[in-house]
Structures are given as C-alpha cells and as structure tokens.
Amino acid sequence: MKAIRYTGLALFLFSLGLLLALFFASSYTLTEQLFNTQVKKEHQELLRPEVASMFGKTYGLSISFVNSLNSAIERVNDKKRAEQAWDQVIYDDYAGSITRAATSGVIKTHTTLLFILVFVVGSIGALMYLLPQAQLAGPPGIKNNGIFHNSLNNRGWMGILVGTLLILFYIALYFFDAYITNWIILVDPVQKLINPSGQSSQWFLYGFLYTFAVLVMGVRMLIKYRHSKYQVFRTISVMFFQLSFAFLIPEILVRLNQPYFDFKNMWPLDYDFFDAWHLNTLTSSGGLGLFMLVWGITLFAVGVPVFVYFFGKRWYCSWVCGCGGLAETAGDPFRQLSDKSLKAWKIERWLVHGVLVFAVIMTAGVLYSFFTGSDTIAGLSTYTWLRQPYGFFIGAIFSGVVGTGFYPLMGNRVWCRFGCPLAAYLGIVQRFKSRFRITTNGGQCISCGNCSTYCEMGIDVRWYAQRGQNIVRASCVGCGVCSSVCPRGVLNLENRDEDGRFGKPILIGNNSSTLQK
Amino acid sequence: MKKIVILGNGIAGITAARHIRKNADHHITVISGESDHFFSRTALMYIYMGHMKYEHTKPYEDWFWEKNKINLKRAWIDRIDFDQKVLHAGEERISYDALILATGSQPNKFGWPGQDLQGVQSLYHLQDLELMEQNTRNIRRAVIVGGGLIGVEMAEMLHSRNIPVTYLIREEHFWGNMLPKEEATLIDNHLREHGIDLRSQTELKAILDDGNGQVKGIETKDGETIDCEFVGLTVGVHPNIALVKDSPVETDKGILVDDYLQTNIEDIFAIGDCAQLRTPQSHRRAIEAVWYAGRMMGETVASTLAGKPTAYRPGIWFNSAKFFDIEYQNYGQVPAECPEDCDDFYWQCIDGKKCLKIIYEKDSFKVRGVNLFGIRSRHEVWDNWLSQEKTLQEIIADLPKANFDPEFFKQWEGEIQKKYNEEFPNHPISIRKPGILKRLFA
C-alpha cells in the first residue's frame, strides 16, 4: 500500500515537473509569411519595419519572444500617439495568436502524448497517492494528524513555494497569456474533443486545470470525510457542478453555435453579465439566449432570497459555486490558515460589502450606458472609471491572484470571505432572513478550538459554542467542517423555524439561580 | 469594590473571572504558574497530534483580558497568609479581599517502582505536553497504564505518530469503573481496530530502569515484561490541594466547600476539580473533575461575589468524550453496574460502532439516564426529558426529536424503536418516519 502511494507521488511529481518544464520546451520563430497571415492588412505596413528584425530569428523562451513583439507594437503605437493619429493605434492583441503560430517543438509535434503524460499520468499518480489512504489512514473519522507539523499545510517552505507558483500562474493567465502559450497548446486536444472547430484559449486552459483540480482533490475530500454523508454529498455536488455546468455545458453550447453560458454562475459574481456585449449576445441568440438572460436575472433576484431563506447561503457557496468548489476540494488542505481574529472579521465586513457596493455601482453605470447609449456619466467614462477598474482589481487581482494564489498562505476562502460580492449579498440574506443556523448543543462545548481552527471563513465558532449560542453569521458558507471536527457533537447545521434562531447564550446544565438567569 | 484573586486560570477560574466582570466592578486578578493565558486543557492532545497549535487552544484572544480588566499574573503561590489576607509568591506579596481557589487536579501516582524514571509521565499540564514531545522522540513502543479518559487520549496521541501502544487496564474493559460492559466492550473493540495492544485485567508491577535512569520497559503483576521507551501513567487525578493542605482551610480529598462554594474560612472559595462539596445533591458526586462542573461552579461563585449569594445547584448530569473515532454523550445516571431498582434498554448498531443505553426504573419506567455512542443527541431535549421524569416509552417514541447528527446521516431511531417494540410488545409505540420534504424543509 505504501509502495503504491509513493509510486503515485513519484508519477504525480513527474507530471507536475513535466508541465513546468514544458513552459521552456518550445522555440519561437516569426517568419514574414507567418506575419502576413496573422496580422491584419491595415497593420502590416505599420508593423513590418518594427518587427522585421525578428523575422527568421529563433527565440528559446516565450517571454523574450513576446516581449520583443510587444515592444515592437508599442513603438508603433508611441509614434502614432505622438502624431495624434489615434485611429492608427493598434489595439489588437497579437501576442497570443502570433506566439502560438510561431511556436515549434515537441508541444506541437507531440501534443497528445504530452497531454497524456501530464494529465492522464498525473491524475493516475494522484489517485494512486490518494486512494490507499482509505485503508492506510485507519477507520473512517477525522484525521487531521500532523497538519500543523507539515510545511505545506502550515505556511512552511512548501506552502510558500506552492503559493508562489499559483500567484505567478494567475498573473500570467490574466495579464501575460502569451507567455504560457505552451500550456494553452497542451490542452488543445481536449478542446478539440469537446468542440472540434474550437481552439484552446487561456480561459479554456484555466477551466480545464480548474476542473482537473476540483475532481482530483474532490476524490481526496471524499476519502478524507468518508464517514460524513454531508461532506460526501456536498463534495460530489461541487464536483458535478464544476464538471458539467462550469466546464462542459458552456463548451457544448459553443459547439452548438449558442452563447457560452454557465447556468450556475450569477451576477454579481458574474460581473460581466450586464456588459453590453453580453446582453447583445444573449438578446441576439434567439429563444435560448433570452432564456439565459431571464434565467440569469431570476437566479439572483428570486433564487438567492428563496433558497437562502430555506437553506442558508450554503446552497450556493459550498454546494454549487465554482470558487467554492475549488476551495472545498483543492483548498481543503489550507482551511486552517484563515485568520480568526476579531480584527480580521472587521476588515472582512468592510471589504466584502465594499466590493458589493462597487459591483452594484459598476453594473448600474454599465447598464446606464447600455440603455442611454451614452458612454459617460457626468463626463466620466463608465468603462474607464467603473467597468475596467472592477475587472482589473476585483475580477483579476482579487478573485484570481489573491483569491486562489494565497490559498497556502491565508486559507482557501480569501476571495469568498473578503471579496466576493455575491457572497456578501447571500450573506446579508442569510444573516437577516433565513432558517439556517449552526445549532450549539446545550452545554457540551469544551472550548477545544477545533471548530474555529478548521473554519475556512475565519469564524470564531468556539466563541458562540462555548457560551451556548447558535452561530448565525453572514459569512458562514455551511461547509459543515466545524460540525465534522467537533469531538463532542456540539455543532449541527440546521434549517429550522426562525424562532429561537438567535438564541440567548445559555449553557444548559447549571440550575443555580445565578445573576445570568 | 473588592479585590478578588483567583488561583488558577483553567475553565473554573476563568469562568469565575469573566462572570464577576460581567456583573460587578471588582478588581480581578487571575494567577497561574502554568501559562500566561487561559487555554483549553481538553485540547492539549490535539496540539501533540498536529490538529492545532497552542494558540488555537486559547478560547479568547490575548487582548481580551486587558479590555475586560481582568489582570493576569504568571506566578506560583508559595503560601497564604490568612490573617493578613496576603498571598506569598517568592518575594512578592499579593493581597486579596476574596480568594477563589481553582487549582485543579494532580495526576495520581501509586508508588510504583521506577515511576520517576525518565520517560515516565502523566498528562495534565501544558508542561507535560512539552515533556511528552521530548519523551516520545524516536521511541519504538509506549505503554500506557490506566483505562480512563486521559489514557485513551494518550493512546490516540501516540497512535497519531505511529508509535505502537500497549495499553494496560486493571478492569475487564476500558473505563470499566464508569461504563457498563456493553459500551466498554464496544470501545475495547474500537481501540483494537486501531491497532492498540489492549491488555485488560493487567496491572503494573514495576517500571524498569535501563541503568541510566531511563525507562526500558515495564513488568506486569503477571510477571510479563514489555519493552518500551515511554510509560504514560494515567490512573486518574486527585484534587490539587497542596497549597492549603496544612492550613486552616479544611480539606478532605479536596478542599471542602459548602453549598455556596465557600470554604470554612470566610471569603475563601474553592471551585472546579480541587473542590469537594460537603453536601452534594443525591445525583451528583462530591468531587467532579470535569470541565462542565468547573464551568458551572465558576458561574455560580461569580454570582455570589457579584452580590447575589447563589447556592451551587447543578442540574441533570451530562458528559461527553471521544474515543478515537467514536463520540460519546451521556445524560443523567448510567453507572457501570445497573442499579437494583432499574433495568436497561440497549441497542447496538450492526457496525459495532454505535449504541444507545437507557437506564429506567423497573416499576415506573421513569428514565434515569442515557449513554450514546456514535450518535449525537440534543442536550436540551434530554435535559427536559430527564427533569420531567419521562418514561422509557415516551422517550423512545420521541427519540427522533433528540437526534443531533448532521444532515444526510442515516437515522437509527427507527431501528431502536423496532427493537423496543420487540422487547416491550405489551406497550408498543408507533413508528413514523418523516418524509423527505419534511426533512428538507423541517
């Protein structure tokens, strides 16, 4: 059994190493012929003198190739800006397409083989490492042994290394996608499998890796919490929604010439839902497009209050949501790193509700422009002042780079806790009008602290439990791990009558008529 | 405004301090030699196991104490000057108007040869944890002596580090002096399932010296020797009364207190593990070294010191524990031996990891108490049932109301009710299962 595990780990590390090595595996050559096919006619004359020096020259690293190309384009644009020839400035993103076309090497000649070596072998290795735990780790039950002795789980060198790699990956993904062209090419076979006429983009790569992580780490979660049906059902649910709703269905829709649409995503998390281009796409895509539009609006306008009333925000955050899905699977090893201090809670409330307000204002501005046709409000462009900063700071930096990159440093719900506007909205409903609460079982709490330690949202669960009070917090995503790790059966997630939800702190068991009573 | 000094920053002392602060403006000082801040003693095992760090076991953040004007002092008190109302800590003198002794317990040692060797220890204080960290480094086997709650914790701790454990218990079964035979057997089996080498009816005779003052093994009373590099002595605890042992404060096993938790000396109180009630209620013991009793005594004495003299009246007994993966909850009286005037109703799950035992009076069917293993149950519901003296039949019929297991868990109440109907065909109950919709939108 142990041999199987170590072999699996070796296979997984081999695949991971291969994936990282593939970043360096290609060479990049821009030929004049390639230039002529990739660049628009009207730009060719402008660009040619600047990129001519690149023709026929072979670059060993995507970064240097992309940088040469981009600085060539930038030189043209600087010149045109200086001449105030605004209409000649090049806004097209040529870096991705040209780099991809200029790539040569194993990644192009043996794409499928490499894909198998990285992802098929990698997942086999991961499963060989994970599955024997069902036997080796002993009978089912909470086994958090050694978590705080482990450098990956406890911000040691491994945690910092993984965090750094994740952060770099997200920065490349959002801002320098041409750098990771090799990886984008690597997943092209899957793209072709789902949609033969498609070509993988950085977002397809991201969706694929994301789903891969949710599924593989979902298996880990299923093994770890196999004694708890709540955790098992919940994990299967997030794995299902990620694989089908978030990954496959949108791609299949595209194959059927329908708009790309994730039926479980919703505004304000899906912040471009009300963007003009998106509304135009939906309204011009016939019955299905209109259905998507109505569905998307109904989901947040009716679905959220109704479902949160009956089940709490967990119906979304820890059962359906993609961000939640990653946090609950790939992020589970890091849940204990969330900050439980009162100070962190204060920051959280300002930040997450601030983002919600920002999202509402941004969307209002975008819709104003959509309906009036005016790009400005009081002379300020709604795009430059609202939509663009939101996309950059919240959409990319906060939810991606910080939200996931900081898993091994700040826990697995950084985004959900501090940044997600949808979580803020769900949380407000949950706090004030819901049947959901975590019930504290009388006086049984021993203040051990397992609940607070393993709360990914940084709720100091023990604070309430040890005074015999129910936990009703806006941020609780209902993952149920506090209840799972409680050694005395004190905590239970329940949907019950609203009466008594905000129970007074009473510790059952003491009949002395103290001042408290 | 009185100057109140509390000796001991465990759950009893800290609860007293917090509740005095809530209700009065007294000057409060909590003194501990063990740690700067209150931590959860019950969580010590999780630090060793790597589930938590020490800081996670502190129920309140460090700023809490200053904000609530509770002075914390790190010191060992050498003696009390009762006439001057002054505590001596080395050269330092600390005066008090009222003194609360919450000094906790000390682990028992029964004078075994070799009990002070290196590698032999108990587990009670924070310092014991550090010691255990050192004592268990690179060892091949550990022996634990004493079948109680700390013993099984220690077994789980060592097991989490893959250290083989031989576990000696004097009784026939684990925790045999507290648990009825069926439940104790269930835990025996679970310990063995985890690979614990459980030796029942085995007593320690001596701990063997390797010649350098280090333990090299143990000898049982049957003459068997077991090689080991670590011996955990977990044969119970006794009240820590060293400070007042030969003083005007009356003691027996513990510090004797009246209904108001006051000792024989005015303005000196004792609470928690170290206290011994002179006249305990019929359903409670004179010394109750459990977390919950410490907390309740803390609440109660605080009320008295905040101006409302309050007699200590604990309600229905309750307790809980976890033995490796099996959780245990207890409400009311379930002694190891079923009382003469009582009978028991017992159900055990086919997986051998869950069971329920109800003790009821033979003639009236009034329920005295329940043990639950592997099923979580509602404290409030049982507290009501037991204080209202519900009968076995009433309780079994309503049993699903007490269920506290997480959603989607299999509910065993139907099986339990079926078993009841088989055993009591003369007064059966009707078994109803709530529908799926009812359960979803309960």
Side-chain angles (χ1 to χ4, degrees):
Chain A
M1 278 294 194
K2 274 195 178 155
I4 296 177
R5 286 201 85 201
Y6 291 133
T7 314
L9 185 61
L11 285 177
F12 177 77
L13 289 176
F14 160 76
S15 295
L16 183 65
L18 181 61
L19 179 67
L20 294 175
L22 282 177
F23 181 84
F24 304 94
S26 296
S27 60
Y28 308 84
T29 318
L30 182 63
T31 60
E32 187 150 15
Q33 188 203 357
L34 198 152
F35 176 81
N36 291 336
T37 55
Q38 294 294 326
V39 177
K40 285 182 189 163
K41 279 265 164 351
E42 68 260 34
H43 293 148
Q44 288 189 5
E45 285 317 304
L46 290 170
L47 261 179
R48 196 185 307 276
E50 292 295 342
V51 297
S53 62
M54 285 178 75
F55 289 158
K57 188 171 164 189
T58 298
Y59 292 76
L61 197 63
S62 61
I63 298 177
S64 47
F65 179 82
V66 174
N67 288 353
S68 294
L69 185 65
N70 279 339
S71 58
I73 298 173
E74 226 13 68
R75 282 198 297 275
V76 173
N77 285 345
D78 284 346
K79 213 182 298 169
K80 293 296 161 194
R81 285 194 188 101
E83 296 167 7
Q84 302 207 334
W86 304 114
D87 56 327
Q88 290 185 39
V89 174
I90 301 171
Y91 289 111
D92 298 64
D93 180 18
Y94 284 123
S97 55
I98 293 182
T99 308
R100 186 165 188 155
T103 303
S104 64
V106 280
I107 196 74
K108 280 214 163 150
T109 54
H110 296 85
T111 316
T112 309
L113 174 69
L114 287 170
F115 176 85
I116 290 170
L117 286 177
V118 171
F119 292 108
V120 179
V121 173
S123 52
I124 290 172
L127 292 177
M128 284 169 69
Y129 182 70
L130 295 171
L131 290 173
Q133 273 302 80
Q135 284 289 320
L136 288 176
I142 288 298
K143 302 284 175 336
N144 285 328
N145 299 341
I147 283 194
F148 281 99
H149 305 150
N150 183 309
S151 83
L152 178 63
N153 306 124
N154 189 29
R155 295 190 196 103
W157 68 269
M158 262 162 68
I160 292 168
L161 180 70
V162 171
T164 310
L165 286 174
L166 280 173
I167 291 167
L168 288 175
F169 171 73
Y170 271 90
I171 291 174
L173 180 75
Y174 281 106
F175 308 111
F176 306 98
D177 57 284
Y179 289 173
I180 52 172
T181 299
N182 285 346
W183 293 344
I184 297 173
I185 296 172
L186 181 67
V187 294
D188 201 49
V190 192
Q191 172 76 75
K192 295 274 190 297
L193 207 64
I194 305 170
N195 183 6
S197 61
Q199 193 192 43
S200 58
S201 65
Q202 90 248 43
W203 302 119
F204 184 83
L205 167 71
Y206 184 43
F208 176 81
L209 288 175
Y210 203 102
T211 309
F212 185 80
V214 168
L215 294 182
V216 171
M217 291 299 278
V219 171
R220 172 191 169 278
M221 188 78 181
L222 288 171
I223 293 169
K224 180 170 180 188
Y225 293 95
R226 63 192 182 282
H227 60 291
S228 167
K229 272 197 180 158
Y230 183 78
Q231 301 301 348
V232 169
F233 287 178
R234 201 172 60 77
T235 304
I236 290 172
S237 174
V238 293
M239 290 165 78
F240 165 77
F241 278 104
Q242 177 56 37
L243 178 63
S244 58
F245 280 59
F247 185 62
L248 289 177
I249 293 175
E251 291 293 337
I252 292 168
L253 284 169
V254 172
R255 181 175 179 172
L256 300 174
N257 284 320
Q258 298 293 336
Y260 180 100
F261 197 79
D262 178 350
F263 282 94
K264 62 150 184 58
N265 203 354
M266 67 171 118
W267 182 87
L269 174 60
D270 183 14
Y271 60 90
D272 53 12
F273 185 84
F274 291 106
D275 277 6
W277 65 267
H278 193 241
L279 294 178
N280 288 331
T281 311
L282 295 185
T283 49
S284 62
S285 301
L288 186 61
L290 282 178
F291 172 75
M292 289 167 175
L293 182 63
V294 174
W295 172 263
I297 293 170
T298 312
L299 208 52
F300 78 81
V302 181
V304 165
V306 170
F307 282 110
V308 175
Y309 174 72
F310 281 110
F311 306 116
K313 77 198 255 189
R314 56 183 171 151
W315 79 269
Y316 194 75
C317 294
S318 64
W319 281 75
V320 172
C321 178
C323 309
L326 190 72
E328 296 294 344
T329 51
D332 178 69
F334 308 111
R335 58 171 60 249
Q336 64 283 353
L337 301 177
S338 61
D339 188 341
K340 279 80 183 181
S341 67
L342 193 64
K343 203 169 151 193
W345 184 20
K346 281 183 183 158
I347 295 170
E348 165 197 319
R349 281 178 293 178
W350 278 104
L351 214 50
V352 77
H353 296 115
V355 173
L356 176 60
V357 170
F358 188 9
V360 170
I361 294 173
M362 180 275 288
T363 307
V366 165
L367 280 175
Y368 173 84
S369 294
F370 178 76
F371 285 115
T372 63
S374 155
D375 290 341
T376 59
I377 299 174
L380 298 174
S381 156
T382 55
Y383 181 76
T384 319
W385 287 89
L386 292 171
R387 180 58 186 76
Q388 196 181 25
Y390 190 93
F392 179 79
F393 288 110
I394 310 297
I397 302 280
F398 206 156
S399 79
V401 180
V402 177
T404 310
F406 279 70
Y407 268 18
L409 307 171
M410 291 172 69
N412 55 335
R413 287 276 192 178
V414 180
W415 162 246
C416 314
R417 181 184 180 192
F418 294 103
C420 177
L422 178 55
Y425 167 39
L426 289 153
I428 291 168
V429 181
Q430 168 163 290
R431 175 67 179 71
F432 295 106
K433 194 67 191 170
S434 172
R435 294 157 60 88
F436 171 75
R437 85 291 302 270
I438 303 174
T439 306
T440 291
N441 196 10
Q444 287 280 23
C445 178
I446 50 163
S447 301
C448 71
N450 274 295
C451 51
S452 295
T453 304
Y454 288 93
C455 177
E456 56 190 358
M457 294 303 282
I459 299 171
D460 191 356
V461 183
R462 166 174 57 191
W463 174 271
Y464 305 90
Q466 68 189 356
R467 62 210 294 258
Q469 194 175 21
N470 292 342
I471 295 104
V472 180
R473 279 278 290 267
S475 64
C476 174
V477 292
C479 71
V481 168
C482 58
S483 165
S484 294
V485 298
C486 176
R488 306 293 180 112
V490 174
L491 301 162
N492 198 14
L493 280 60
E494 297 190 298
N495 314 309
R496 290 179 84 185
D497 203 328
E498 279 180 90
D499 291 340
R501 186 168 175 250
F502 297 91
K504 266 195 182 165
I506 291 175
L507 290 165
I508 297 170
N510 191 0
N511 293 354
S512 321
S513 49
T514 61
L515 278 167
Q516 299 299 311
K517 298 200 170 132
Chain B
M1 193 171 92
K2 274 197 237 177
K3 200 174 172 207
I4 297 172
V5 174
I6 300 168
L7 291 192
N9 68 350
I11 180 64
I14 287 296
T15 307
R18 281 179 44 244
H19 284 260
I20 295 168
R21 174 52 68 240
K22 277 187 188 183
N23 297 300
D25 198 28
H26 297 310
H27 186 276
I28 304 169
T29 303
V30 181
I31 301 175
S32 167
E34 183 185 15
S35 64
D36 288 334
H37 297 100
F38 171 45
F39 67 93
S40 177
R41 191 172 303 287
T42 48
L44 281 181
M45 63 183 290
Y46 299 112
I47 302 175
Y48 182 87
M49 291 165 73
H51 292 209
M52 288 190 274
K53 295 199 274 192
Y54 169 65
E55 68 198 55
H56 296 113
T57 68
K58 290 193 274 189
Y60 303 92
E61 289 183 61
D62 291 349
W63 51 259
F64 177 89
W65 309 106
E66 198 183 329
K67 181 175 175 252
N68 289 288
K69 292 185 288 172
I70 295 171
N71 303 302
L72 302 180
K73 186 161 179 59
R74 184 83 185 263
W76 290 111
I77 300 302
D78 308 316
R79 69 181 197 87
I80 305 168
D81 182 337
F82 296 94
D83 300 327
Q84 301 295 317
K85 290 192 160 185
V86 168
L87 304 173
H88 292 233
E91 295 300 302
E92 203 176 345
R93 301 288 177 270
I94 302 152
S95 66
Y96 64 85
D97 298 320
L99 179 66
I100 301 174
L101 303 167
T103 50
S105 293
Q106 283 288 349
N108 291 335
K109 279 187 178 183
F110 292 130
W112 289 293
Q115 70 179 16
D116 295 320
L117 288 171
Q118 275 204 19
V120 182
Q121 70 166 101
S122 311
L123 179 65
Y124 185 85
H125 296 101
L126 188 56
Q127 287 72 18
D128 293 334
L129 197 68
E130 185 51 40
L131 188 63
M132 190 165 162
E133 196 67 55
Q134 293 162 17
N135 281 340
T136 57
R137 210 160 279 160
N138 302 320
I139 63 168
R140 287 185 301 261
R141 175 166 291 276
V143 170
I144 296 171
V145 184
L149 295 178
I150 299 180
V152 72
E153 277 183 11
M154 227 182 200
E156 190 175 348
M157 290 160 79
L158 295 161
H159 184 71
S160 80
R161 301 235 182 144
N162 300 315
I163 297 167
V165 174
T166 297
Y167 192 1
L168 311 188
I169 50 179
R170 190 179 55 182
E171 291 79 14
E172 220 171 307
H173 301 283
F174 170 74
W175 216 20
N177 56 350
M178 295 298 285
L179 288 180
K181 195 174 162 187
E182 289 104 326
E183 291 98 303
T185 310
L186 184 140
I187 298 301
D188 286 352
N189 294 339
H190 187 56
L191 294 181
R192 294 201 167 106
E193 182 189 8
H194 273 280
I196 303 299
D197 172 25
L198 188 66
R199 311 278 185 96
S200 58
Q201 291 175 296
T202 307
E203 287 187 62
L204 178 68
K205 187 178 167 197
I207 301 168
L208 309 174
D209 190 340
D210 73 346
N212 298 315
Q214 179 80 32
V215 58
K216 70 161 186 186
I218 59 117
E219 191 183 343
T220 69
K221 283 201 177 158
D222 304 331
E224 188 186 356
T225 53
I226 300 168
D227 292 340
C228 64
E229 295 77 32
F230 177 83
V231 175
L233 295 178
T234 60
V235 286
V237 295
H238 61 270
N240 175 18
I241 58 170
L243 185 61
V244 291
K245 183 91 188 157
D246 301 305
S247 80
V249 176
E250 278 182 36
T251 59
D252 177 32
K253 279 181 182 141
I255 302 166
L256 288 166
V257 292
D258 61 17
D259 276 7
Y260 292 82
L261 304 170
Q262 188 166 255
T263 64
N264 60 311
I265 297 175
E266 207 182 348
D267 291 331
I268 298 187
F269 301 81
I271 56 173
D273 286 15
C274 69
Q276 179 178 350
L277 296 166
R278 288 177 195 269
T279 50
Q281 290 167 278
S282 59
H283 65 289
R284 308 287 300 212
R285 292 159 190 259
I287 300 172
E288 290 179 343
V290 294
W291 179 270
Y292 308 119
R295 189 176 67 197
M296 293 192 280
M297 288 186 184
E299 277 179 321
T300 310
V301 79
S303 191
T304 300
L305 283 164
K308 183 190 174 193
T310 305
Y312 178 57
R313 292 280 176 265
I316 304 287
W317 167 264
F318 67 98
N319 201 3
S320 66
K322 191 176 181 187
F323 310 106
F324 282 79
D325 303 314
I326 298 182
E327 285 173 26
Y328 159 64
Q329 289 185 343
N330 159 230
Y331 301 103
Q333 306 301 313
V334 185
E337 295 292 336
C338 189
E340 285 282 301
D341 58 338
C342 289
D343 245 328
D344 63 16
F345 170 77
Y346 183 73
W347 167 85
Q348 184 168 320
C349 181
I350 187 134
D351 69 1
K353 291 188 179 188
K354 301 172 194 77
C355 71
L356 164 139
K357 166 160 292 168
I358 295 178
I359 301 289
Y360 61 94
E361 292 173 8
K362 274 178 190 162
D363 46 0
S364 66
F365 285 89
K366 279 178 195 159
V367 168
R368 290 255 183 98
V370 63
N371 271 347
L372 294 131
F373 286 78
I375 298 177
R376 292 178 173 180
S377 210
R378 282 179 206 275
H379 186 179
E380 190 180 5
V381 172
W382 278 104
D383 194 69
N384 283 334
W385 283 345
L386 294 173
S387 50
Q388 291 163 14
E389 305 194 308
K390 295 275 189 194
T391 64
L392 179 66
Q393 188 184 7
E394 289 170 316
I395 285 178
I396 295 284
D398 268 351
L399 204 55
K401 283 186 188 158
N403 186 289
F404 200 67
D405 272 334
E407 293 151 303
F408 307 114
F409 274 44
K410 186 168 165 54
Q411 313 237 316
W412 299 97
E413 283 75 11
E415 266 198 29
I416 296 170
Q417 291 171 329
K418 230 166 80 189
K419 174 132 202 272
Y420 168 87
N421 278 350
E422 284 163 20
E423 286 184 27
F424 300 90
N426 296 330
H427 27 93
I429 54 155
S430 65
I431 300 169
R432 277 165 294 130
K433 233 183 160 179
I436 178 83
L437 276 181
K438 182 112 195 272
R439 276 164 66 182
L440 258 178
F441 297 97

